Amino acid sequence: MPADGGTAVEPVRPHLEAAVERPRTPVGGLSAAQVAERTAAGLVNATTVRTSRTVGQIVRANVLTFFNGLLAALWVVAVASGRWQNALFGGVVVANAGIGIVQELRAKRTLDRLAVLNAPRARVVRDGVLSELAPADVVLDDLLEVRAGDQVPTDAVVRSSAGLAVDESLLTGEAEPVAKDPGDALWSGSIVVAGSARAQTTAVGDDAYAARLATEARRFTTTYSELVASTNRLLRWIAVVLVVVTPAVLWSQFRSEDNVGWRDAVTGTVAALVGMIPEGLVLLTTLAFMVATVALARRQTLVQELPAVEGLARVDVVCLDKTGTLTSGDVRFDRLEPLDGTGPDAVATALGALVAADAANATAAALAAVFPPPPDGRGTEVVPFSSARKWSAVRPPGDRTWVLGAPEMVLAGTPGAESEAARERAERLAAEGRRVLLLAASPAPASGEGEEVRLPDGLRPVALVLMAEQIRPDAAEVLRYFTEQGVALKVISGDSPRTVGAVAAAVGVPGVGGAGDAVDARTLPEDDDALADVVERASAFGRVTPHQKRAMVRALQRRGHVVAMTGDGVNDALALKDADIGVAMGNGSPATRAVAQLVLLDGRFAHLPDAVAEGRRVIANIERAANLFLVKNVYSLVMALITVATVAAYPLAPVQLTLISTVTIGVPGFFLALLPNRRRYVPGFLRRVLTFSLPVGVVTGAAAYTGYALTRWLDRTAGVDAARTTATLVVLAVALWTLVVLARPLSGVKVVLVLALTGVTAIVLAVPALAHDVLLLEWSIPVLPLAAAVVVPAVLLVELAARRALPPTGATARRSRAPVG
């Protein structure tokens, strides 16, 4: 298997070769009757591969989990023990599952609507008319038209080609573009990087290569999430602990003299096990992702992979394409600067022929609005534009060969005073931030084929073609935000280095003071380490090929950076796929949007800080919630181990743990996970959570058992219920203080939350019907002072542990700026 997660191509080649032999579709495409016949036979491009989970999958994922199954079994046991109060934790399980299902369904509806708006379109010839339709409506034998920037929607065979070249590396791992001639096979999922073609579909729907590869490819491209990975590790450890501890707890509870009969023994065992299950942690993590995703959707940012929200917060390098990201992407023709005596009519005719022959990019489309195609057609010989070559060419019948492209590429190796003067003039204009193309002519034709095609001999510069781009009004503010947040910026563009340098300086990219500070990518070293040194040192690069963009992203990743790549063109697709987070502009090419994790639907670069802020909120708030859950798991384990060692009754009843979990973990964890939080990302989520929760959990568990044991020791007449009352008060007080510690800095909302939870707890404990009949608490005079005597030193130890384990809060929050836009 290729190193980048591609799939070997050999198994599919026989299928494609056989498909070529299908009856040929006429040049006018299928008729309406033929389309209806194929649709009725199910020969459509609909696929069972889904971009989001079905309703059934959502329900199963939230209900049928290992811990839910364990809690359901414990609930049955608790009901059988005869005390209905101790089965109330079942309501928490149902509520968790219900909240998860409702929230995910709401998020699904929102994201599915946006996904439909962002979905690519396929161009199909039917009844002699070229029209656009959804890829799912394409049928077998349809005649497709594909252009540069498209992602091929189905397997097909080329019927006519105008310099078609496709990149199949997303499927095969092979890096070089492949030229396609009539009779050659196209694979669904490949990207058109040059030229155009008409191709007959040979396999649709689940029979197409991309559909069969989708599940495997998705596994390799899913965004890494530190939160998800760390949470899964915690859950595995907790599952192992449960397997080991359960038999010992069950043994101790049946052996304990404190328990009267099997019902008390079962109740103690259920309490110990319920306390060690993090029933809401996965829900809160998923819920935080979903809320962030929906919040971004309201800002016209489509999140195609949920963990990408978190991943963007971990980014420390952002690689930016110039055109369409720093500039508006709306390229328009500015003016011509003649370089020889060629008449304006001849120049206009040549430009019209060039753009008519290859109109599949923004520059060609802008020129086509000014220079209409010649009446005699596109030209007999066409070399379409390629991001690697940086030029295109056409040779109309009985005319010269006309070449349009980057001046330094078109005139490379062309000596003479005219060429030198043209290069110097182009450089001066580029240094002003202008986008400059060169029109040149030669009596000779281009030589070579496919990607090996070479410029014709005897080229002479004819005119400079100036294109106008407008810098986005929000670009400078967005880049300033990233700079203040400590994120490095790299402008990587296929345009002239001097143009890139001028634009980068204008928007305030650190380290770029003018046009001369950009690096010409043609001088970049091939060696990986040497390339990484240059990319780390410089901040602006011009004349970068698509494969160099990919190599630069990988070089930064090898140096330990988390890299985001933004772009809108087909030349950005490979780099976006390999980046840790790919961000595509909504007005970009379909191929670019297909491989990105985030799509800025309205093309506004200013939404990117919003996404960073959402990611930071998710990471920081889930860390708070994880601390709360894990502290409970640890103190429940500590109490379980102590009861095993002392052969005593478990210090808490299941219903008392339900109260503690609700007011100190479930409700506050839900609110804390959704509140604003601008703390910068700090690596080491799992290490930090364990550093805090282990000592605090040990202190809380030891304090609870101390309160339980002291009650039994000081009052010989006090039974298990009275001792559990003291332990309940101790855990409630220490856990509420732990909540205060984790909620810092205490804003108005957090203060209200803590006071409300404390008030609810006090009311529940003060109402006899609730305290005695439901919570099974037994009040006595010594309970409150005894609990206070245990709580005070425990709280001091919690404070000490927090100062050693938690990152600073106030300073970080004050330094962070509000997101742009």
Side-chain angles (χ1 to χ4, degrees), residues 493-701:
S493 174
D495 212 337
S496 162
R498 298 187 68 80
T499 302
V500 175
V503 172
V507 296
V509 174
V512 184
D517 289 335
V519 175
D520 190 329
R522 292 172 296 175
T523 66
L524 290 175
E526 296 288 339
D527 178 74
D528 291 341
D529 291 332
L531 175 63
D533 290 337
V534 178
V535 177
E536 289 239 51
R537 183 175 64 252
S539 297
F541 302 83
R543 292 295 176 232
V544 187
T545 67
H547 295 298
Q548 281 181 314
K549 288 186 179 185
R550 192 179 200 182
M552 294 164 81
V553 167
R554 289 178 171 178
L556 290 167
Q557 290 171 326
R558 281 193 297 271
R559 291 294 174 90
H561 294 290
V562 180
V563 182
M565 175 74 194
T566 71
D568 68 338
V570 64
N571 58 326
D572 303 315
L574 300 179
L576 259 69
K577 178 181 180 291
D578 282 359
D580 296 282
I581 300 295
V583 182
M585 298 297 168
N587 55 355
S589 71
T592 305
R593 299 198 307 269
V595 299
Q597 286 89 10
L598 296 176
V599 180
L600 307 182
L601 294 174
D602 58 2
R604 287 192 60 202
F605 188 39
H607 292 317
L608 207 50
D610 294 328
V612 172
E614 284 296 331
R616 289 181 172 177
R617 185 187 62 76
V618 167
I619 290 179
N621 287 345
I622 289 301
E623 184 171 323
R624 284 173 170 170
N627 277 318
L628 288 174
F629 278 98
L630 208 57
V631 164
K632 185 198 80 165
N633 299 147
V634 172
Y635 69 64
S636 297
L637 175 61
V638 168
M639 288 188 290
L641 294 176
I642 293 175
T643 57
V644 170
T646 60
V647 196
Y650 193 77
L652 297 172
V655 67
Q656 293 155 4
L657 263 174
T658 300
L659 170 67
I660 293 168
S661 296
T662 301
V663 299
T664 67
I665 300 168
V667 173
F670 178 84
F671 280 99
L672 290 180
L674 304 180
L675 286 175
N677 193 327
R678 294 178 186 161
R679 196 193 80 193
R680 295 186 186 183
Y681 167 73
V682 182
F685 165 80
L686 183 57
R687 175 185 53 79
R688 263 193 324 279
V689 168
L690 292 175
T691 302
F692 175 83
S693 59
L694 286 176
V696 171
V698 169
V699 167
T700 307

Side-chain angles (χ1 to χ4, degrees), residues 261-314:
W262 68 270
R263 288 184 172 83
D264 287 350
V266 166
T267 297
T269 303
V270 168
L273 298 183
V274 168
M276 287 186 280
I277 297 174
E279 66 273 8
L281 181 57
V282 175
L283 168 67
L284 274 182
T285 303
T286 304
L287 187 61
F289 279 141
M290 290 177 187
V291 170
T293 300
V294 173
L296 289 175
R298 296 192 184 104
R299 299 185 181 101
Q300 293 299 299
T301 301
L302 173 61
V303 179
Q304 304 200 108
E305 294 181 23
L306 287 182
V309 177
E310 172 211 334
L312 195 53
R314 295 188 287 112

Side-chain angles (χ1 to χ4, degrees), residues 162 346-359 373-374 376-385 389 391-405 439-446 453-456 459:
V347 171
T349 301
L351 289 172
L354 279 159
V355 298
D358 181 25
D376 55 352
R378 296 184 170 189
T380 55
E381 298 178 20
V382 176
V383 179
F385 177 80
R389 287 191 302 266
W391 57 269
S392 62
V394 66
R395 187 178 178 87
D399 198 352
R400 295 170 284 178
T401 299
W402 295 93
V403 179
L404 180 67
L439 177 67
S442 169
V453 68
R454 294 181 296 277
L455 287 162
L459 275 172

